């Protein structure tokens, strides 16, 4: 199981369907991918000196959002800390961590993010959210009492119980979720080349960080009503939260056939808890949109 780098600080339950009304048209989160596109030529000529060219071409064929991120971050000095180049299989497997961490590098660039004030999020090749207001928040460790199982225990220890990480606010919650939602497709589209365990918790990371976001909203409403009011009045933040919920559903569904390579069985168990009545209610109240809980979980109603 891969443990990702942690972030540094840079600069009365009711069913929502009874209360949420929206005149907005339904939509579904989707993005282009072609996971069966031929990359055998790239594998054949892969070596330690052409990895960036290989990375960009591989994703151009299979997941254009990955190519766009790689192009945007091509000059970042930290790629080599995350990318393995001893074989094409190791390279493909390392993409979960590499794309995850380069998403952090893009999102948390001080030119885009002011820690706890506003954030940025690389969503896909055609959408990058910037200057999303955060209004500070409260320590994410406050969600721990709402986690009554051990499904996310290993990550809870890193992100919630750790003395430093547990103190991070909404900034940390959103940043980890967004990075998880690029790391997951990064390996989903090259799953046939994964031989080891370096990407084996990609689905778990996405499901767990969505769990954290939903629970954070519940605690905001119940324990920090002034803060809840502030963030609920921020359209860009509401839209980002909705997008990330639908996007998680989209990539968890796409990656489901590869559980074992890119996720464990707990990912689906965590996802089931994310669709509890309490969690769907807070999501729909916060975003003002109803979401589907059937086979099309990546869609609104």
């Amino acid at each position: 199981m891969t443990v990702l780098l942690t972030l540094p600080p840079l600069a009365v339950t009711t069913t929502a369907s009874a209360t949420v009304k929206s005149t907005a048209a339904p939509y579904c989160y989707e993005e282009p991918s072609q996971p069966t596109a031929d990359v055998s030529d790239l594998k054949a000529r892969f070596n330690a000196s052409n990895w960036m060219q290989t990375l960009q071409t591989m994703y151009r064929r299979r997941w254009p959002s990955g190519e766009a991120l790689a192009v945007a971050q091509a000059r970042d000095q930290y790629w080599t800390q995350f990318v393995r180049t001893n074989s094409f299989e190791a390279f493909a497997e390392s993409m979960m961590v590499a794309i995850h961490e380069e998403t952090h590098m893009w999102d948390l660039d001080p030119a885009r993010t002011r820690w706890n004030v506003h954030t940025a999020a690389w969503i896909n090749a055609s959408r990058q959210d910037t200057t999303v207001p955060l209004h500070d928040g409260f320590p994410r460790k406050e969600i721990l009492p709402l986690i009554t199982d051990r499904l996310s225990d290993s990550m809870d220890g890193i992100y919630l119980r750790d003395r430093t990480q547990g103190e991070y606010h909404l900034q940390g919650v959103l940043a980890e979720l967004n990075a998880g939602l690029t790391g997951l497709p990064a390996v989903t589209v090259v799953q046939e080349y994964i031989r080891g365990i370096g990407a084996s918790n990609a689905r778990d990371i996405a499901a767990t960080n969505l769990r954290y976001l939903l629970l954070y909203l519940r605690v905001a409403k119940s324990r920090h009503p002034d803060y809840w009011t502030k963030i609920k009045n921020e359209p860009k933040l509401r839209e980002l939260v909705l997008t990330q919920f639908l996007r998680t559903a989209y990539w968890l569904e796409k990656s489901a056939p590869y559980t074992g390579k890119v996720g464990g069985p707990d990912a689906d168990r965590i996802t089931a808890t994310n669709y509890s009545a309490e969690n769907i209610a807070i999501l729909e109240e916060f975003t003002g949109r109803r979401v589907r809980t059937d086979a099309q979980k990546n869609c609104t109603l």
Side-chain angles (χ1 to χ4, degrees):
M1 178 176 291
T2 299
V3 177
L4 299 173
L5 300 183
T6 53
L7 292 175
L10 300 183
V12 175
T13 303
T14 59
T15 59
S17 59
T19 58
V20 174
K21 297 180 180 179
S22 174
T23 59
Y27 80 98
C28 301
Y29 180 87
E30 298 175 327
E31 62 178 286
S33 65
Q34 184 56 51
T36 60
D38 185 19
V39 294
S40 59
D41 59 317
L42 302 179
K43 180 180 184 296
R45 62 175 181 262
F46 176 77
N47 59 61
S49 62
N50 70 0
W51 65 265
M52 177 55 81
Q53 179 185 0
T54 301
L55 190 160
Q56 293 182 13
T57 306
M58 177 177 73
Y59 285 139
R60 183 182 312 141
R61 298 177 188 179
R62 293 199 167 189
W63 178 48
S65 290
E67 180 201 10
L69 177 62
V71 169
Q73 289 295 104
R75 297 185 179 182
D76 185 72
Q77 62 181 315
Y78 296 107
W79 277 103
T80 54
Q81 294 187 24
F82 315 126
V83 176
R84 293 169 58 196
T85 60
N86 50 304
S87 71
F88 187 79
E89 288 78 9
F91 169 74
E93 184 178 301
S94 72
M95 286 300 100
M96 187 195 82
V97 173
I99 295 297
H100 178 117
E101 297 299 343
E102 286 300 327
T103 300
H104 280 324
M105 299 299 180
W106 191 93
D107 289 357
L108 301 179
D109 187 311
R112 301 183 187 94
T113 289
R114 183 178 174 192
W115 193 263
N116 287 338
V117 177
H118 60 77
T119 195
W122 180 286
I123 305 297
N124 54 48
S126 61
R127 176 178 167 186
Q128 298 91 47
D129 289 9
T130 57
T131 324
V132 180
L134 298 173
H135 297 288
D136 196 10
F138 54 89
R140 60 185 172 187
K141 66 183 179 182
E142 291 188 27
I143 72 173
L144 270 169
L146 295 181
I147 300 177
T148 58
D149 55 53
R150 298 183 63 84
L151 297 174
S152 58
D153 191 61
S154 61
M155 280 181 273
D156 298 345
I158 297 169
Y159 297 111
L160 304 181
R161 292 191 291 268
D162 178 80
R163 182 176 299 177
T164 299
Q165 288 281 320
E167 295 296 329
Y168 286 5
H169 295 182
L170 183 58
Q171 175 77 69
V173 175
L174 289 172
E176 287 299 340
L177 176 56
N178 196 52
L181 290 175
T182 52
L184 176 56
V187 286
T188 297
V189 300
V190 294
Q191 58 78 28
E192 75 268 38
Y193 294 105
I194 295 175
R195 303 287 185 265
I197 62 170
S200 61
N201 59 345
R203 300 183 80 242
D204 306 68
I205 290 169
T208 296
N209 282 293
L210 180 62
R211 160 182 272 198
Y212 293 166
L213 176 58
L214 296 171
L215 298 184
Y216 197 92
L217 293 175
R218 285 171 58 184
V219 172
K221 182 183 178 183
S222 64
R223 297 187 57 186
H224 303 274
D226 291 343
Y227 181 65
W228 167 257
T229 299
K230 287 180 181 178
I231 60 175
K232 196 170 181 294
N233 285 321
E234 292 293 353
K236 292 179 71 172
L237 180 56
R238 293 201 311 270
E239 182 64 23
L240 177 60
V241 167
L242 178 64
T243 296
Q244 302 296 56
F245 183 87
L246 302 177
R247 186 179 170 207
T248 305
Y250 180 77
W251 283 112
L252 285 176
E253 190 276 332
K254 291 283 187 183
S255 61
Y258 315 121
T259 294
K261 288 185 177 182
V262 299
D266 283 346
D268 290 326
R269 297 178 184 128
I270 295 166
T271 296
T273 71
N274 289 342
Y275 283 83
S276 70
E278 295 87 352
N279 286 335
I280 295 299
I282 200 69
L283 173 79
E284 294 186 339
E285 181 178 354
F286 183 75
T287 65
R289 298 295 300 269
R290 294 181 60 199
V291 296
R292 295 183 63 156
T293 58
D294 56 9
Q296 290 185 281
K297 291 183 174 66
N298 61 310
C299 301
T300 64
L301 286 166

